[in-house]
Amino acid sequence: MRIPNSLALRAGRDKTVGMRSAPLILASRSPARAALLCGAGYTFEQVVADCPEPPPAPGESLTRYVRRLARLKAETVAERFPAAWVLGADTALILEGRIIGKPADLRSATAMLMALAGRTHRICSAACLAGPCDRNGRRAFHTTVDTAWVTLRDWPAPRIRAHVALTTPVHWAGAYAVQDPVSCAIVARIRGDLATVIGLPMTKLHRGASSLFQV
């Protein structure tokens, strides 16, 4: 099922859930991440973390990089809501040690999928949960990261071009999305947590969050 954009803001529009009483803020515009939280039974508001994303520092591992960006997004939104829990997240698609971002257009999407076709790449998703400020104005930060591996089908170029024409690849890193009913056709295998591939390390996040606040 394609995840509608409206679902991302469903919890935020619920009149029974006000910002002051909400136990959690998702610091992301992603409707897929919001859908994962909704499906897991979390009550939350959604606030976009409007901050620049710096490139990896020299010598910085990509796992450390996604952890740093998840914390940066949590910190950016947490500054505005001192009494709330704030969840930041970041995901990177990695092939041969290089981050693969979103394609600029359909031509680059086709080239991207041709490079990934028949190969296994790595997905790293990090989540950073910032606790409410204590009486001294300090917050605790709880960060986790998870890795999954995805193999795309070894399709020939004409089939990939036909596939790209049926999807919206410019919205997705790697030019595909496992949560999209058409785009997922190119996915041959996933090893690891599906939610990690979508954008949140849900297994690790839920394990940590359950000990911190009521779901």
Side-chain angles (χ1 to χ4, degrees):
M1 179 182 71
R2 187 185 296 272
I3 299 170
N5 289 335
S6 58
L7 179 57
L9 299 178
R10 185 177 64 185
R13 289 200 303 262
D14 187 342
K15 293 181 180 179
T16 66
V17 181
M19 183 61 72
R20 294 180 182 176
S21 61
L24 177 65
I25 296 173
L26 174 60
S28 170
R29 73 171 70 248
S30 167
R33 290 190 179 116
L36 287 171
L37 289 182
C38 281
Y42 289 91
T43 298
F44 64 95
E45 300 273 354
Q46 191 167 13
V47 178
V48 176
D50 190 13
C51 59
E53 297 186 14
E60 182 179 35
S61 72
L62 294 175
T63 299
R64 186 178 294 274
Y65 174 64
V66 294
R67 289 173 64 101
R68 178 163 64 89
L69 288 191
R71 175 157 178 161
L72 173 63
K73 294 172 184 178
E75 288 177 331
T76 299
V77 173
E79 290 177 355
R80 297 161 53 191
F81 304 103
W85 294 91
V86 179
L87 177 64
D90 191 72
T91 300
L93 187 158
I94 302 156
L95 179 67
E96 296 180 343
R98 184 168 57 93
I99 293 177
I100 306 296
K102 297 177 182 178
D105 50 36
L106 296 185
R107 178 175 293 184
S108 58
T110 300
M112 198 172 282
L113 288 176
M114 288 177 64
L116 294 170
R119 306 174 70 183
T120 298
H121 57 270
R122 182 164 52 114
I123 305 282
C124 285
S125 282
C128 178
L129 187 63
C133 290
D134 62 19
R135 65 183 63 186
N136 296 314
R138 294 174 298 193
R139 288 182 181 268
F141 290 87
H142 311 268
T143 306
T144 189
V145 65
D146 190 44
T147 300
W149 290 262
V150 179
T151 305
L152 297 192
R153 301 187 192 281
D154 193 10
W155 283 353
R159 185 180 294 271
I160 289 177
R161 283 194 289 268
H163 173 78
V164 165
L166 296 172
T167 66
T168 53
V170 295
H171 298 154
W172 309 315
Y176 77 94
V178 296
Q179 69 272 19
D180 182 88
V182 177
S183 181
C184 70
I186 201 170
V187 177
R189 289 184 301 279
I190 295 174
R191 179 160 60 91
D193 190 343
L194 174 62
T196 293
V197 179
I198 294 173
L200 271 181
M202 289 296 291
T203 300
K204 292 184 176 181
L205 175 63
H206 183 73
R207 188 183 303 136
S210 294
S211 64
L212 294 170
F213 59 89
Q214 286 289 332
V215 175

